[in-house]
Amino acid sequence: MTRISTIIPVYNGEKYLRECLDSALAQVGVEQEILVVNDGSTDGTAAILDEYAARVRVLTQHNAGHIAARNHGVAEATGQWLAFLDADDLWEPTKLCEQEKLLADDIGMVYTERLNFGDLGDLPARQSESQTLYDGDLFHPLLQTNFITVSSVLLRKDLYRELGGFDPAPTGCEDWDLWLRFAATYGPDRFRVACVREPLTRYRWRSDAMTRNLSLMHHGREIALENALASSRGKREITPSERRQARASICEISAWVARQSGQRGLAFSYAARRFFLTPGLRTLYHWVKTLFP
């Protein structure tokens, strides 16, 4: 049986932490260690972690952000595979065992379909109703959008270390950046990505999280995308048309997030950028849809 290290970063997460930890501890049919990294919390997080001390391994650090916390957890992990779970997300009890069934010599990552819950806005409950989920070689589809939820991922630890882990530079998009680096580095000939098409990960949408610095988030998307386009594989395979479409796609995503958070002016700006990159009736339709849902 493959040993899995589950990494849970938490900062001031007392509201949802117990539910998250219970869902990780409820996993069936797998050998698992759970490492929780307390990123300098100032609320009741430490007291909650004391309650679970016999069942999880608690690491502490001065507040350095969730990316540093994840990387800290991996540095202490003993498993062959890494699972990531954010402290406000949840797993179904069979999540890890269903992923483990797909592990093979040529599989480097396994992710799952997700259920959305919380402040959904106009999002459907099931991820696949609004996004296509791919498997195999993901470089080209990942350039258009990030459809891999970080809390759904099971990743080989040796590959994570080869890639250098999560990079803090693309703020808020460090997960997409890592998946793109994985796809650009290993390609179809070394390691593939598998997908469990059951919604075994529950992703919590929070309106307070969406109101963070949207311009900074958009800049993070740009960094992740441009790094991928500048990779050897990106230079070799991606056409000028695909590059424009990929850049337009992140503008569409940023416009949607801005509209969801009530920032209509910023939504208009991102939608206009998308229209400039890929003008046409279809883009005009999405622009109008962004502004007038």
CSV table of all heavy atoms in Angstrom, one decimal, residues 137-181:
chain,number,residue,atom,x,y,z
A,137,ASP,N,-2.0,13.9,-21.1
A,137,ASP,CA,-1.1,15.0,-21.3
A,137,ASP,C,-1.9,16.3,-21.2
A,137,ASP,O,-2.7,16.6,-22.1
A,137,ASP,CB,-0.4,14.9,-22.6
A,137,ASP,CG,0.6,16.0,-22.9
A,137,ASP,OD1,1.0,16.7,-22.0
A,137,ASP,OD2,0.8,16.3,-24.1
A,138,LEU,N,-1.6,17.1,-20.2
A,138,LEU,CA,-2.5,18.3,-20.0
A,138,LEU,C,-1.9,19.6,-20.4
A,138,LEU,O,-2.6,20.6,-20.1
A,138,LEU,CB,-2.9,18.3,-18.5
A,138,LEU,CG,-3.6,17.1,-17.9
A,138,LEU,CD1,-4.1,17.4,-16.5
A,138,LEU,CD2,-4.8,16.7,-18.8
A,139,PHE,N,-0.8,19.7,-21.0
A,139,PHE,CA,-0.2,21.0,-21.2
A,139,PHE,C,-1.1,21.9,-22.0
A,139,PHE,O,-1.3,23.1,-21.6
A,139,PHE,CB,1.2,20.8,-22.0
A,139,PHE,CG,2.0,22.0,-22.1
A,139,PHE,CD1,2.4,22.7,-21.0
A,139,PHE,CD2,2.3,22.6,-23.3
A,139,PHE,CE1,3.1,23.9,-21.1
A,139,PHE,CE2,3.1,23.7,-23.4
A,139,PHE,CZ,3.5,24.4,-22.3
A,140,HIS,N,-1.6,21.5,-23.1
A,140,HIS,CA,-2.4,22.4,-24.0
A,140,HIS,C,-3.7,22.8,-23.3
A,140,HIS,O,-4.0,24.0,-23.2
A,140,HIS,CB,-2.7,21.7,-25.3
A,140,HIS,CG,-1.5,21.7,-26.2
A,140,HIS,ND1,-1.3,22.6,-27.2
A,140,HIS,CD2,-0.4,20.9,-26.2
A,140,HIS,CE1,-0.1,22.4,-27.8
A,140,HIS,NE2,0.4,21.3,-27.2
A,141,PRO,N,-4.5,21.9,-22.7
A,141,PRO,CA,-5.7,22.3,-22.0
A,141,PRO,C,-5.5,23.2,-20.8
A,141,PRO,O,-6.2,24.1,-20.5
A,141,PRO,CB,-6.5,21.0,-21.7
A,141,PRO,CG,-5.5,19.9,-21.8
A,141,PRO,CD,-4.5,20.4,-22.8
A,142,LEU,N,-4.4,22.9,-20.1
A,142,LEU,CA,-4.1,23.7,-18.9
A,142,LEU,C,-3.7,25.1,-19.2
A,142,LEU,O,-3.9,26.1,-18.4
A,142,LEU,CB,-3.0,23.1,-18.1
A,142,LEU,CG,-3.3,22.1,-17.0
A,142,LEU,CD1,-2.1,21.4,-16.4
A,142,LEU,CD2,-4.2,22.7,-15.9
A,143,LEU,N,-3.2,25.4,-20.4
A,143,LEU,CA,-2.9,26.7,-20.8
A,143,LEU,C,-4.1,27.6,-20.9
A,143,LEU,O,-4.0,28.8,-20.7
A,143,LEU,CB,-2.1,26.7,-22.2
A,143,LEU,CG,-0.7,26.3,-22.2
A,143,LEU,CD1,-0.2,26.2,-23.6
A,143,LEU,CD2,0.2,27.3,-21.4
A,144,GLN,N,-5.3,27.0,-21.1
A,144,GLN,CA,-6.5,27.8,-21.3
A,144,GLN,C,-7.2,28.1,-20.0
A,144,GLN,O,-7.8,29.1,-19.8
A,144,GLN,CB,-7.5,27.0,-22.2
A,144,GLN,CG,-6.9,26.7,-23.6
A,144,GLN,CD,-6.4,28.0,-24.3
A,144,GLN,OE1,-7.1,29.0,-24.3
A,144,GLN,NE2,-5.3,27.9,-25.0
A,145,THR,N,-7.0,27.2,-19.0
A,145,THR,CA,-7.6,27.4,-17.7
A,145,THR,C,-7.1,26.4,-16.7
A,145,THR,O,-6.7,25.3,-17.1
A,145,THR,CB,-9.2,27.4,-17.7
A,145,THR,OG1,-9.7,27.8,-16.5
A,145,THR,CG2,-9.7,26.0,-18.1
A,146,ASN,N,-7.2,26.7,-15.4
A,146,ASN,CA,-6.8,25.8,-14.4
A,146,ASN,C,-8.0,25.0,-13.9
A,146,ASN,O,-8.9,25.5,-13.2
A,146,ASN,CB,-6.2,26.5,-13.2
A,146,ASN,CG,-5.7,25.5,-12.1
A,146,ASN,OD1,-5.6,24.3,-12.3
A,146,ASN,ND2,-5.5,26.1,-10.9
A,147,PHE,N,-8.2,23.8,-14.3
A,147,PHE,CA,-9.3,22.9,-13.9
A,147,PHE,C,-8.9,21.9,-12.8
A,147,PHE,O,-9.7,21.1,-12.5
A,147,PHE,CB,-9.9,22.2,-15.1
A,147,PHE,CG,-8.8,21.5,-16.0
A,147,PHE,CD1,-8.4,20.3,-15.7
A,147,PHE,CD2,-8.3,22.2,-17.1
A,147,PHE,CE1,-7.4,19.7,-16.5
A,147,PHE,CE2,-7.3,21.6,-17.9
A,147,PHE,CZ,-6.8,20.3,-17.6
A,148,ILE,N,-7.7,22.0,-12.3
A,148,ILE,CA,-7.3,21.1,-11.3
A,148,ILE,C,-7.3,21.8,-9.9
A,148,ILE,O,-6.6,22.8,-9.7
A,148,ILE,CB,-5.8,20.6,-11.5
A,148,ILE,CG1,-5.8,19.8,-12.9
A,148,ILE,CG2,-5.4,19.7,-10.4
A,148,ILE,CD1,-4.4,19.4,-13.3
A,149,THR,N,-8.2,21.4,-9.0
A,149,THR,CA,-8.3,21.9,-7.7
A,149,THR,C,-7.2,21.4,-6.8
A,149,THR,O,-7.0,20.2,-6.7
A,149,THR,CB,-9.7,21.5,-7.1
A,149,THR,OG1,-10.7,21.9,-8.0
A,149,THR,CG2,-9.9,22.2,-5.7
A,150,VAL,N,-6.5,22.3,-6.1
A,150,VAL,CA,-5.3,21.9,-5.3
A,150,VAL,C,-5.7,20.9,-4.3
A,150,VAL,O,-5.0,20.0,-4.0
A,150,VAL,CB,-4.6,23.1,-4.7
A,150,VAL,CG1,-5.5,23.9,-3.7
A,150,VAL,CG2,-3.3,22.8,-4.2
A,151,SER,N,-6.9,21.1,-3.7
A,151,SER,CA,-7.3,20.1,-2.6
A,151,SER,C,-7.7,18.8,-3.1
A,151,SER,O,-8.0,17.9,-2.4
A,151,SER,CB,-8.5,20.7,-1.8
A,151,SER,OG,-8.1,21.8,-1.0
A,152,SER,N,-7.7,18.6,-4.5
A,152,SER,CA,-8.1,17.3,-5.0
A,152,SER,C,-6.9,16.5,-5.5
A,152,SER,O,-7.0,15.4,-5.9
A,152,SER,CB,-9.0,17.5,-6.3
A,152,SER,OG,-8.3,17.9,-7.4
A,153,VAL,N,-5.7,17.1,-5.4
A,153,VAL,CA,-4.5,16.5,-6.0
A,153,VAL,C,-3.8,15.5,-5.2
A,153,VAL,O,-3.6,15.6,-4.0
A,153,VAL,CB,-3.5,17.7,-6.4
A,153,VAL,CG1,-2.1,17.1,-6.7
A,153,VAL,CG2,-4.0,18.4,-7.6
A,154,LEU,N,-3.3,14.4,-5.9
A,154,LEU,CA,-2.3,13.5,-5.3
A,154,LEU,C,-1.2,13.5,-6.3
A,154,LEU,O,-1.3,13.2,-7.5
A,154,LEU,CB,-3.0,12.1,-5.2
A,154,LEU,CG,-2.2,11.0,-4.5
A,154,LEU,CD1,-2.0,11.3,-3.0
A,154,LEU,CD2,-3.0,9.7,-4.6
A,155,LEU,N,0.0,13.8,-5.8
A,155,LEU,CA,1.2,14.1,-6.6
A,155,LEU,C,2.4,13.3,-6.0
A,155,LEU,O,2.6,13.2,-4.8
A,155,LEU,CB,1.5,15.6,-6.6
A,155,LEU,CG,2.7,16.1,-7.3
A,155,LEU,CD1,2.6,15.8,-8.8
A,155,LEU,CD2,2.9,17.6,-7.0
A,156,ARG,N,3.2,12.7,-7.0
A,156,ARG,CA,4.4,12.1,-6.5
A,156,ARG,C,5.4,13.1,-5.8
A,156,ARG,O,5.7,14.1,-6.4
A,156,ARG,CB,5.2,11.5,-7.8
A,156,ARG,CG,4.6,10.3,-8.4
A,156,ARG,CD,5.4,9.8,-9.6
A,156,ARG,NE,4.8,8.7,-10.3
A,156,ARG,CZ,5.1,7.4,-10.0
A,156,ARG,NH1,5.9,7.1,-9.1
A,156,ARG,NH2,4.5,6.5,-10.7
A,157,LYS,N,5.9,12.7,-4.7
A,157,LYS,CA,6.7,13.6,-3.9
A,157,LYS,C,8.0,13.8,-4.6
A,157,LYS,O,8.6,15.0,-4.6
A,157,LYS,CB,7.0,13.1,-2.5
A,157,LYS,CG,7.8,14.0,-1.6
A,157,LYS,CD,7.9,13.6,-0.2
A,157,LYS,CE,8.7,12.4,-0.1
A,157,LYS,NZ,8.9,12.0,1.4
A,158,ASP,N,8.6,12.8,-5.3
A,158,ASP,CA,9.9,13.0,-6.0
A,158,ASP,C,9.7,14.0,-7.1
A,158,ASP,O,10.6,14.8,-7.4
A,158,ASP,CB,10.5,11.7,-6.5
A,158,ASP,CG,9.5,10.9,-7.4
A,158,ASP,OD1,8.3,11.2,-7.4
A,158,ASP,OD2,10.0,9.9,-8.0
A,159,LEU,N,8.6,14.0,-7.8
A,159,LEU,CA,8.4,15.0,-8.9
A,159,LEU,C,8.2,16.4,-8.4
A,159,LEU,O,8.7,17.4,-8.9
A,159,LEU,CB,7.2,14.5,-9.8
A,159,LEU,CG,7.3,13.2,-10.4
A,159,LEU,CD1,6.1,13.0,-11.4
A,159,LEU,CD2,8.6,13.0,-11.1
A,160,TYR,N,7.5,16.5,-7.3
A,160,TYR,CA,7.3,17.8,-6.6
A,160,TYR,C,8.6,18.4,-6.3
A,160,TYR,O,8.9,19.6,-6.5
A,160,TYR,CB,6.5,17.6,-5.3
A,160,TYR,CG,6.2,18.8,-4.5
A,160,TYR,CD1,5.1,19.5,-4.6
A,160,TYR,CD2,7.2,19.2,-3.5
A,160,TYR,CE1,4.9,20.7,-3.8
A,160,TYR,CE2,7.0,20.3,-2.7
A,160,TYR,CZ,5.8,21.0,-2.9
A,160,TYR,OH,5.6,22.1,-2.1
A,161,ARG,N,9.5,17.6,-5.8
A,161,ARG,CA,10.9,18.1,-5.4
A,161,ARG,C,11.7,18.5,-6.6
A,161,ARG,O,12.4,19.5,-6.6
A,161,ARG,CB,11.6,17.1,-4.5
A,161,ARG,CG,11.0,17.0,-3.1
A,161,ARG,CD,11.6,16.0,-2.2
A,161,ARG,NE,11.2,16.2,-0.8
A,161,ARG,CZ,11.5,15.3,0.1
A,161,ARG,NH1,12.1,14.2,-0.1
A,161,ARG,NH2,11.1,15.6,1.4
A,162,GLU,N,11.6,17.6,-7.7
A,162,GLU,CA,12.3,17.9,-8.9
A,162,GLU,C,11.8,19.3,-9.5
A,162,GLU,O,12.6,20.1,-10.0
A,162,GLU,CB,12.0,16.9,-10.0
A,162,GLU,CG,12.8,15.6,-9.8
A,162,GLU,CD,12.5,14.6,-10.9
A,162,GLU,OE1,12.0,15.0,-11.9
A,162,GLU,OE2,12.8,13.4,-10.6
A,163,LEU,N,10.6,19.6,-9.3
A,163,LEU,CA,10.0,20.8,-9.9
A,163,LEU,C,10.2,22.0,-9.0
A,163,LEU,O,10.0,23.1,-9.4
A,163,LEU,CB,8.5,20.6,-10.1
A,163,LEU,CG,8.1,19.6,-11.2
A,163,LEU,CD1,6.6,19.3,-11.1
A,163,LEU,CD2,8.5,20.2,-12.6
A,164,GLY,N,10.7,21.8,-7.8
A,164,GLY,CA,11.0,22.9,-6.9
A,164,GLY,C,9.8,23.3,-6.0
A,164,GLY,O,9.9,24.4,-5.3
A,165,GLY,N,8.7,22.5,-6.0
A,165,GLY,CA,7.6,22.8,-5.2
A,165,GLY,C,6.8,24.0,-5.7
A,165,GLY,O,6.9,24.5,-6.8
A,166,PHE,N,5.9,24.5,-4.8
A,166,PHE,CA,5.1,25.7,-5.1
A,166,PHE,C,6.0,27.0,-5.1
A,166,PHE,O,6.7,27.2,-4.2
A,166,PHE,CB,4.0,25.9,-4.1
A,166,PHE,CG,2.9,24.8,-4.2
A,166,PHE,CD1,2.8,23.8,-3.3
A,166,PHE,CD2,2.0,24.8,-5.3
A,166,PHE,CE1,1.8,22.9,-3.3
A,166,PHE,CE2,1.0,23.9,-5.3
A,166,PHE,CZ,0.9,22.9,-4.4
A,167,ASP,N,5.8,27.8,-6.2
A,167,ASP,CA,6.6,29.0,-6.3
A,167,ASP,C,5.7,30.2,-5.8
A,167,ASP,O,4.6,30.3,-6.3
A,167,ASP,CB,6.9,29.2,-7.8
A,167,ASP,CG,7.8,30.4,-8.0
A,167,ASP,OD1,8.0,31.3,-7.1
A,167,ASP,OD2,8.4,30.5,-9.1
A,168,PRO,N,6.2,31.0,-4.9
A,168,PRO,CA,5.4,32.1,-4.3
A,168,PRO,C,5.2,33.2,-5.3
A,168,PRO,O,4.4,34.1,-5.1
A,168,PRO,CB,6.2,32.5,-3.1
A,168,PRO,CG,7.6,32.1,-3.3
A,168,PRO,CD,7.5,30.9,-4.2
A,169,ALA,N,6.0,33.3,-6.4
A,169,ALA,CA,5.9,34.4,-7.3
A,169,ALA,C,4.6,34.7,-7.9
A,169,ALA,O,4.1,35.8,-7.9
A,169,ALA,CB,7.0,34.3,-8.4
A,170,PRO,N,3.9,33.7,-8.5
A,170,PRO,CA,2.6,33.9,-9.1
A,170,PRO,C,1.5,34.0,-8.1
A,170,PRO,O,0.8,33.0,-7.9
A,170,PRO,CB,2.4,32.8,-10.1
A,170,PRO,CG,3.2,31.6,-9.5
A,170,PRO,CD,4.3,32.3,-8.8
A,171,THR,N,1.4,35.1,-7.3
A,171,THR,CA,0.5,35.2,-6.2
A,171,THR,C,-0.9,34.7,-6.4
A,171,THR,O,-1.5,35.2,-7.3
A,171,THR,CB,0.5,36.6,-5.7
A,171,THR,OG1,1.8,37.1,-5.5
A,171,THR,CG2,-0.3,36.8,-4.4
A,172,GLY,N,-1.3,33.7,-5.6
A,172,GLY,CA,-2.7,33.2,-5.8
A,172,GLY,C,-2.8,32.2,-6.9
A,172,GLY,O,-3.9,31.6,-7.0
A,173,CYS,N,-1.8,32.0,-7.7
A,173,CYS,CA,-1.9,31.0,-8.8
A,173,CYS,C,-0.8,30.0,-8.7
A,173,CYS,O,-0.4,29.4,-9.8
A,173,CYS,CB,-1.9,31.8,-10.1
A,173,CYS,SG,-3.2,32.9,-10.3
A,174,GLU,N,-0.2,29.8,-7.6
A,174,GLU,CA,0.9,28.9,-7.4
A,174,GLU,C,0.6,27.5,-7.8
A,174,GLU,O,1.4,26.7,-8.2
A,174,GLU,CB,1.5,29.0,-6.0
A,174,GLU,CG,0.7,28.3,-4.9
A,174,GLU,CD,-0.6,29.1,-4.5
A,174,GLU,OE1,-0.7,30.3,-4.8
A,174,GLU,OE2,-1.5,28.5,-3.9
A,175,ASP,N,-0.7,27.1,-7.6
A,175,ASP,CA,-1.1,25.7,-8.0
A,175,ASP,C,-1.1,25.6,-9.5
A,175,ASP,O,-0.5,24.6,-10.0
A,175,ASP,CB,-2.4,25.4,-7.3
A,175,ASP,CG,-3.5,26.4,-7.7
A,175,ASP,OD1,-3.2,27.5,-8.0
A,175,ASP,OD2,-4.7,26.0,-7.6
A,176,TRP,N,-1.7,26.5,-10.2
A,176,TRP,CA,-1.7,26.4,-11.7
A,176,TRP,C,-0.3,26.4,-12.2
A,176,TRP,O,0.0,25.7,-13.1
A,176,TRP,CB,-2.6,27.6,-12.2
A,176,TRP,CG,-2.8,27.6,-13.7
A,176,TRP,CD1,-3.0,26.5,-14.5
A,176,TRP,CD2,-2.9,28.7,-14.6
A,176,TRP,NE1,-3.3,26.8,-15.8
A,176,TRP,CE2,-3.2,28.2,-15.9
A,176,TRP,CE3,-2.8,30.1,-14.4
A,176,TRP,CZ2,-3.4,29.0,-17.0
A,176,TRP,CZ3,-3.0,30.9,-15.5
A,176,TRP,CH2,-3.2,30.4,-16.8
A,177,ASP,N,0.5,27.3,-11.6
A,177,ASP,CA,1.9,27.4,-12.1
A,177,ASP,C,2.6,26.0,-11.9
A,177,ASP,O,3.3,25.6,-12.8
A,177,ASP,CB,2.7,28.4,-11.2
A,177,ASP,CG,4.2,28.4,-11.5
A,177,ASP,OD1,4.6,28.9,-12.5
A,177,ASP,OD2,4.9,27.9,-10.6
A,178,LEU,N,2.4,25.3,-10.8
A,178,LEU,CA,3.0,24.0,-10.6
A,178,LEU,C,2.4,23.0,-11.6
A,178,LEU,O,3.2,22.2,-12.1
A,178,LEU,CB,2.8,23.5,-9.2
A,178,LEU,CG,3.4,22.2,-8.8
A,178,LEU,CD1,4.9,22.2,-9.0
A,178,LEU,CD2,3.1,21.8,-7.3
A,179,TRP,N,1.1,22.9,-11.8
A,179,TRP,CA,0.6,22.0,-12.8
A,179,TRP,C,1.1,22.2,-14.2
A,179,TRP,O,1.5,21.3,-14.9
A,179,TRP,CB,-0.9,22.0,-12.8
A,179,TRP,CG,-1.7,22.2,-11.6
A,179,TRP,CD1,-2.9,22.8,-11.4
A,179,TRP,CD2,-1.4,21.7,-10.2
A,179,TRP,NE1,-3.4,22.7,-10.1
A,179,TRP,CE2,-2.5,22.0,-9.4
A,179,TRP,CE3,-0.3,20.9,-9.7
A,179,TRP,CZ2,-2.5,21.7,-8.0
A,179,TRP,CZ3,-0.3,20.6,-8.4
A,179,TRP,CH2,-1.4,21.0,-7.5
A,180,LEU,N,1.3,23.5,-14.6
A,180,LEU,CA,1.8,23.8,-15.9
A,180,LEU,C,3.3,23.4,-16.0
A,180,LEU,O,3.7,22.9,-17.0
A,180,LEU,CB,1.7,25.3,-16.1
A,180,LEU,CG,0.3,25.9,-16.5
A,180,LEU,CD1,0.3,27.4,-16.4
A,180,LEU,CD2,-0.1,25.4,-17.9
A,181,ARG,N,4.1,23.6,-14.9
A,181,ARG,CA,5.5,23.2,-14.9
A,181,ARG,C,5.5,21.6,-15.0
A,181,ARG,O,6.4,21.1,-15.7
A,181,ARG,CB,6.2,23.7,-13.7
A,181,ARG,CG,6.6,25.2,-13.8
A,181,ARG,CD,7.5,25.6,-12.7
A,181,ARG,NE,6.7,25.8,-11.4
A,181,ARG,CZ,7.0,25.3,-10.3
A,181,ARG,NH1,8.0,24.4,-10.1
A,181,ARG,NH2,6.3,25.6,-9.2
